[in-house]
Amino acid sequence: MKHPNIIRLSILTVTGMIIGFITELVLTILFSLVTKELIDPKIYFVASILTLATIGVSLLYLYLKVIRKFPYKYNYRYLTSFLLYDVAILVGGLIGKAIL
């Protein structure tokens, strides 16, 4: 792999793991507040939807920001890099779940 490819993939992996960890952390905190009956389940539902929408927008924004900084020459690599990014998000979420 060329040098920009390694940098791009490592940035995407770290960013994905951080996003997955933060998402799991926020949803776990919200769920624990519902089980302790500190907030209403309807508020939990709305807060969860807003959290996931915010994380989704930031996910795409950060992906496109990294890709624009280090562009590919061919289109098929975008799909494989997004797949790596998605797997990194899942791994970050699993690490967050294991820690919490």
Side-chain angles (χ1 to χ4, degrees), residues 17-63:
M17 291 180 87
I18 290 171
I19 287 176
F21 181 77
I22 290 172
T23 305
E24 189 63 41
L25 177 74
V26 169
L27 290 176
T28 302
I29 289 171
L30 285 173
F31 185 71
S32 69
L33 291 176
V34 168
T35 56
K36 293 179 183 177
E37 297 180 3
L38 295 177
I39 61 173
D40 189 38
K42 293 177 186 177
I43 296 173
Y44 167 71
F45 178 72
V46 171
S48 297
I49 296 294
L50 291 176
T51 301
L52 290 176
T54 304
I55 294 293
V57 168
S58 65
L59 178 137
L60 290 175
Y61 173 75
L62 291 172
Y63 176 75

Side-chain angles (χ1 to χ4, degrees), residues 5-16:
N5 289 343
I6 294 172
I7 293 172
R8 180 187 317 105
L9 292 178
S10 62
I11 290 172
L12 285 174
T13 303
V14 170
T15 306

Side-chain angles (χ1 to χ4, degrees), residues 34-98:
V34 168
T35 56
K36 293 179 183 177
E37 297 180 3
L38 295 177
I39 61 173
D40 189 38
K42 293 177 186 177
I43 296 173
Y44 167 71
F45 178 72
V46 171
S48 297
I49 296 294
L50 291 176
T51 301
L52 290 176
T54 304
I55 294 293
V57 168
S58 65
L59 178 137
L60 290 175
Y61 173 75
L62 291 172
Y63 176 75
L64 292 174
K65 188 175 179 181
V66 170
I67 293 300
R68 277 183 35 207
K69 188 170 184 180
F70 304 105
Y72 284 115
K73 291 182 180 179
Y74 304 107
N75 289 335
Y76 72 93
R77 293 185 184 170
Y78 290 110
L79 182 61
T80 56
S81 67
F82 193 78
L83 180 66
L84 175 73
Y85 188 55
D86 192 36
V87 169
I89 292 169
L90 293 174
V91 169
L94 289 174
I95 290 171
K97 190 174 285 244

